[in-house]
Amino acid sequence: MEAPELLACRDVSLGYEGQSVLTHLDLSIREGDYLCIVGDNGSGKSTLLRGLLGLLPPQSGEICRSPDIRRGNLGYLPQQTRAQRDFPATVYEVVLSGCLNQKGMHFFYSPAQKSAALMNMGKLGVLELKDQCYRDLSGGQQQRVLLARALCAASKLLILDEPITGLDPAAAQDLYKLLSYLNRKEGMAIVMVTHDLKAALQSARTVLHIGRSSCFCGTVAEYLASPQGRRFREVE
Ligand code: ADP
């Protein structure tokens, strides 16, 4: 039996001001999936993420969300900007802010939210950095903190936009290992936009390649056998 569906695009077109960037896209993201989204610059990867996150309504077609996802059970790791890297808060405050979605009308964080924040920091190996200022951390440590923050929001689905940008190869490898752990051991579904196709293919199960004229979506093996994937193998 197939795992329950979390997010799906049915014949979706997305774009801006009447101009389409992506057209007639069909995509299904299920519990426990690991999907990598690849494609040239400007092909529409971030546009698709905006659609999946509900920030950009489709021009046509339908983006379906499971009740869990509609309730906000979704963690998002945006591309880090310089201003975010300089954020003047402690690691604990940054991680705890991942619970903001669930605060509702309450002004203070609940004890359960505080312990979830501490648990997620422990899981990602940043607990000992708890009282340090976020902006003093290395790029790799900052990404771990942001992942811990995303886990406070989500137990089912993580969406990541170019998460290894600016990381050295060791820190990037470390991040991929963490993502694989979350996917395999904790059943977290992962959707990741990346340029690092080689490393991504080692962990991902499915690939969406957004091309100029058409999109490919299939398993890693199917992708490597496809014209788009074969091109990647030639340049490897
Ligand atoms: P990618 O993430 O693959 O690099 P994007 O989704 O950022 O690509 O962009 C796809 C296309 O949409 C590009 O041609 C870009 O110029 C255009 N685009 C992106 N954001 C906007 C926007 N806010 N308004 C108008 N056009 C945009």
Side-chain angles (χ1 to χ4, degrees), residues 16-17 21 39-48 50 161 193:
Y16 308 90
E17 292 147 26
V21 174
D40 293 335
N41 272 340
S43 57
K45 303 180 295 294
S46 301
T47 300
L48 174 58
R50 275 177 221 135
D161 197 352
V193 165

Side-chain angles (χ1 to χ4, degrees), residues 150-198:
L151 292 186
C152 288
S155 60
K156 295 263 162 125
L157 176 62
L158 275 180
I159 296 185
L160 306 103
D161 197 352
E162 302 271 8
I164 61 147
T165 305
L167 299 189
D168 61 53
Q173 205 50 42
D174 193 50
L175 190 74
Y176 285 129
K177 272 201 200 134
L178 268 175
L179 292 174
S180 279
Y181 168 83
L182 293 172
N183 177 252
R184 284 169 209 273
K185 300 282 185 228
E186 310 238 329
M188 180 75 81
I190 291 176
V191 172
M192 173 167 69
V193 165
T194 184
H195 278 301
D196 183 4
L197 191 51
K198 189 172 175 199

Side-chain angles (χ1 to χ4, degrees), residues 73-217:
N73 198 334
L74 177 159
Y76 174 47
L77 216 73
Q79 270 189 43
Q80 274 219 77
T81 62
R82 175 116 217 114
Q84 284 159 344
R85 288 204 179 94
D86 283 340
F87 198 61
T90 66
V91 165
Y92 183 49
E93 286 166 337
V94 171
V95 174
L96 203 49
S97 70
C99 300
L100 280 174
N101 248 1
Q102 313 145 10
K103 270 209 319 181
M105 299 300 285
H106 306 289
F107 189 69
F108 297 105
Y109 293 106
S110 70
Q113 288 171 327
K114 288 180 186 169
S115 64
L118 293 171
M119 192 189 73
N120 288 326
M121 288 163 70
K123 205 182 273 178
L124 296 194
V126 292
L127 193 54
E128 71 276 20
L129 306 175
K130 178 174 172 284
D131 298 316
Q132 286 201 30
C133 192
Y134 174 77
R135 66 177 164 205
D136 296 336
L137 306 183
S138 71
Q141 288 171 329
Q142 287 191 337
Q143 283 301 62
R144 281 169 168 261
V145 169
L146 292 182
L147 257 188
R149 178 182 189 276
L151 292 186
C152 288
S155 60
K156 295 263 162 125
L157 176 62
L158 275 180
I159 296 185
L160 306 103
D161 197 352
E162 302 271 8
I164 61 147
T165 305
L167 299 189
D168 61 53
Q173 205 50 42
D174 193 50
L175 190 74
Y176 285 129
K177 272 201 200 134
L178 268 175
L179 292 174
S180 279
Y181 168 83
L182 293 172
N183 177 252
R184 284 169 209 273
K185 300 282 185 228
E186 310 238 329
M188 180 75 81
I190 291 176
V191 172
M192 173 167 69
V193 165
T194 184
H195 278 301
D196 183 4
L197 191 51
K198 189 172 175 199
L201 292 184
Q202 288 168 4
S203 336
R205 254 174 257 139
T206 43
V207 180
L208 170 65
H209 183 123
I210 305 180
R212 296 235 172 272
S213 50
S214 64
C215 290
F216 170 91
C217 191

